[in-house]
Amino acid sequence: MIEVRKLVKRFGLKTVLRGLDFRVEPGEFVALLGPNGAGKTTFLRILASLSRPSLGEVAIAGYRLPAQAAAVRQRLGVVSHLPLLYGDLTADENLRFYGRMYTVPRLEQRMAEVLDLVGLSARRRDLVRTYSRGMQQRLAIGRAMLHDPQVILFDEPYTGLDQEASNMLDGVLRQVAGLGHTVVMTSHDLARAADLASRFDVLSHGVVAASVLRSEIDPNRLLAFYRQAIQGA
Amino acid sequence: MREDVTLSQTSTHRPASNFLRAMTAVVWKDLAAELRSRELLSSMLVFALLVILIFNFALELDTRTRSTVTSGVLWVTFAFAGTLGLNRSMAMEKDRGCLDGLLLAPVDRSAIYFGKAIGNLIFMLVVEIIVLPVYSVLYNTNLFVPGLLLVILLGSIGYVAVGTLLSSMAVQTRTRDVLLPILLFPVAIPVLIAAVKASSGFLLGIEMAEIQPWLSLLITYDVVFTAVAFMVFDYVVEE
Amino acid sequence: MGPKPRLLTVLDVVTIFMLAIATWMVFFYAPMEAVMGNVQRVFYFHVAAGWVGMLGFLVAAGAGVAYLRSARRKWDLVGLAAVEIGMVFAFVNVVTGAIWARPIWNTWWTWDPRLTTATIMLLIYAAYLMLRQGIDDPDRRARFGAVYAIVGFLSVPLTFFSARLFRTIHPVVIGSNQPGAEGAFDMTPLMLQTFLFSLLTFTIIFADLMWRRLRLGRLADEVEQKKLELTV
């Protein structure tokens, strides 16, 4: 579903990603871990088609980036730590707008489904400005799922959420994972990632330093695994 | 090419209608948001009226000089209020990451450009339509000359075409608000000169043959810069 | 940046030589103009500087297009160099214009099309530099610079036409027979030679400065590169 080969990303003279290889099978839920500045957000932006690779190949759902970006975008949903929502519009209006941009068929019905999924049906006619951060994040997920993407990318989705909101987000993410979408999620929060992911990759010094399947590792050993991975490279 | 039997098939067909749909969606979104908050229009309007007031005291517009100076005052006002609108319109997208939201959609980047530009144009025209009668009343001059309305339309189109492109750049820099006028004004001078002269021409009832070169200049500017902005917009928003 | 190429040294020598000759020609070879007197001699370098100002703009716009199509860093450097150098010459153009204007029309400034356009060009140059200064990411800086160089360049002819429609008291020197335009004069063959030689000299100066500026830019890049290598 996602294939990345020898990905290099440079900003001017600085190289952030150094020949990164990455492969995700359909239905996998990959937690991408790594210290600050490792390049997680850069990598995710490239996958999201918001940034171009300097060198290397990226393909999502069989379509290459950046050449076939439009096809990729139709099949991709992105949730970043910024809400990507218009505060002066209601949840309904936000969804309707994005629905039109993605040419979602049977839009009204789909909107209802999605609002149900993220538990915001009751407040759909409220301005997003009035939503709490947690609610905005949930709506953002709804927005990302509106066009039924095959791949969903989450960039630090728990940022700025309190305990209760984080728990609610957990619930939504579990549902999303259950629906069979392919997911890549970057996170600082090892504990939460541990619960949800089927695979853990560690990004360090511009490459994937280590990768392990959920089934292969004892969750208690995850922290040690992580620490070792970031020292290694 | 992969076969996809999902909802996602539809947008890879009929690209032209997709373009129009995306463009109108963007315009609609901007208008709807503005109708709710009225933030943009009110600030542009108040600013415009303040500028006119200041001009009154700064220039001592007595009845004689007024007729020659009116179009200049109007266009300076429009230019300044215009930058306000352009800045705010783009800043709204940038601040909540919505620009990324727009870029993530499977639409042509130029659809986004035209959507924003048309939205900006509508806001600018609304402000201008309100300022005209106010000015007329304050200074007892009749400004509802059809030729003038044409010039306002043409001038605003050119101004907004370049302004939307440049504000997309300015909003991504550190010096954001200050930068837009610095970038825009030198490049918009042909529009401003032509608009002022053509407006004067219509207001003073000068014969069409003399006004016509200014109109040609305005149209040329509009066409050239809309084309350039549309071609170059991709590079401004894509990383 | 390697050692200074032989060709550059040769160019340096040629440039200095030509500048010396041009100066001599301006002051001694060209005859004194009948109406305006010696101050007219400013004209040769004034127009040459204006020409280089425009040349800088043209090169920057061209480099802009090249950068957008190829994304190769060197075009960004060429664009920046062209703007920096062109700006200096545009400034010289405006100042010498004022020096010329003062005795002839008894005013330091004339809102005529050429001078006005030259000043606006200067402002666009300055805006270009300010735009670049406000951006940290080098790729974005290059892209935005390229876009603005193109937009700026395209606006100049339109600005010129609009200013020209607006008013004219600038001497229309080349190919004009308008007796009404004050300060106009016909060029004798000696004057023409001086004029053309000045144009050529200033163009060579531009090329020389560009080359040196590009070398400087590459050196700066190398330093940056070394710094990055040290910190990793």
Side-chain angles (χ1 to χ4, degrees), chain A residues 1 4 20 30 82 87 148 152:
Chain A
M1 188 57 71
V4 177
L20 190 145
V30 178
L82 287 172
D148 199 24
I152 310 184

Side-chain angles (χ1 to χ4, degrees), chain B residues 222-238:
Chain B
D222 288 356
V223 169
V224 168
F225 279 95
T226 306
V228 170
F230 151 80
M231 286 193 285
V232 142
F233 189 70
D234 273 35
Y235 296 104
V236 167
V237 288
E238 298 266 26

